[in-house]
Amino acid sequence: MNKRKRFFGLLAVLMLALASVNLASCKDDDKEIVDWGGPFREPIRLVGTWTYSTEDEAYSLSETYTLNADSTFTLVWQEDDKNGKESGMWRYEGDGMLTLTTIVGEKPGTHTYRIGYNGNVLYLRESDGDIRGPYMRKL
């Protein structure tokens, strides 16, 4: 009876070890970088400076968002030969939604995004499904 228990115990340990190796080895999961819209336990982690830039032969864009602890934000952007600065208030809705209300700038109004977040990387999904980012935390 002891040999049988030992065998099944060893078998269970081996199966758990193999399962954990299989789950940990999926490198493609890194592309599914974030919890799209999962509630943060600490939305204060969004506070900081986030930068994004892209450039090719026909187009260039850079954006820097600074989200402050007092719920204000600034956006400094440059698109091809145009540039600008916007400011306003930000609010985390608790259900994965980030609302930016621009008070000063070229496009005043309220813009809401679903957040994709993974430590030092932030994505913003617009209501039409377009994804902006990756925004990297500026340290």
Side-chain angles (χ1 to χ4, degrees), residues 63-133:
E63 296 180 325
T64 300
Y65 280 95
T66 301
L67 303 177
N68 301 305
D70 66 357
S71 297
T72 60
F73 81 91
T74 58
L75 164 62
V76 177
W77 57 270
Q78 181 170 352
E79 185 173 15
D80 292 329
D81 59 349
K82 297 182 274 182
N83 59 48
K85 183 176 181 178
E86 300 178 15
S87 62
M89 302 297 291
W90 71 276
R91 181 176 70 242
Y92 175 70
E93 301 293 334
D95 58 355
M97 302 302 284
L98 175 68
T99 299
L100 301 173
T101 302
T102 304
I103 298 167
V104 176
E106 194 171 292
K107 299 177 185 174
T110 299
H111 308 281
T112 301
Y113 305 97
R114 180 158 304 278
I115 295 174
Y117 176 80
N118 184 8
N120 292 325
V121 179
L122 180 72
Y123 287 83
L124 302 175
R125 182 181 291 163
E126 298 182 26
S127 59
D128 63 3
D130 287 346
I131 297 173
R132 296 173 56 186

Side-chain angles (χ1 to χ4, degrees), residues 52-55 59-63 77-80 135:
Y52 169 73
S53 65
T54 184
E55 187 172 344
Y59 179 75
S60 68
L61 172 68
S62 68
E63 296 180 325
W77 57 270
Q78 181 170 352
E79 185 173 15
D80 292 329
Y135 292 86

Side-chain angles (χ1 to χ4, degrees), residues 12-86:
V13 168
L14 181 62
M15 289 176 60
L16 287 172
L18 287 174
S20 68
V21 168
N22 285 336
L23 291 174
S25 66
C26 296
K27 206 57 177 163
D28 287 341
D29 289 344
D30 291 344
K31 293 178 183 172
E32 293 295 320
I33 53 132
V34 288
D35 173 11
W36 283 101
F40 291 123
R41 295 196 191 286
E42 301 174 48
I44 194 74
R45 291 182 185 202
L46 292 174
V47 170
T49 300
W50 301 90
T51 61
Y52 169 73
S53 65
T54 184
E55 187 172 344
D56 63 25
E57 295 172 9
Y59 179 75
S60 68
L61 172 68
S62 68
E63 296 180 325
T64 300
Y65 280 95
T66 301
L67 303 177
N68 301 305
D70 66 357
S71 297
T72 60
F73 81 91
T74 58
L75 164 62
V76 177
W77 57 270
Q78 181 170 352
E79 185 173 15
D80 292 329
D81 59 349
K82 297 182 274 182
N83 59 48
K85 183 176 181 178
E86 300 178 15

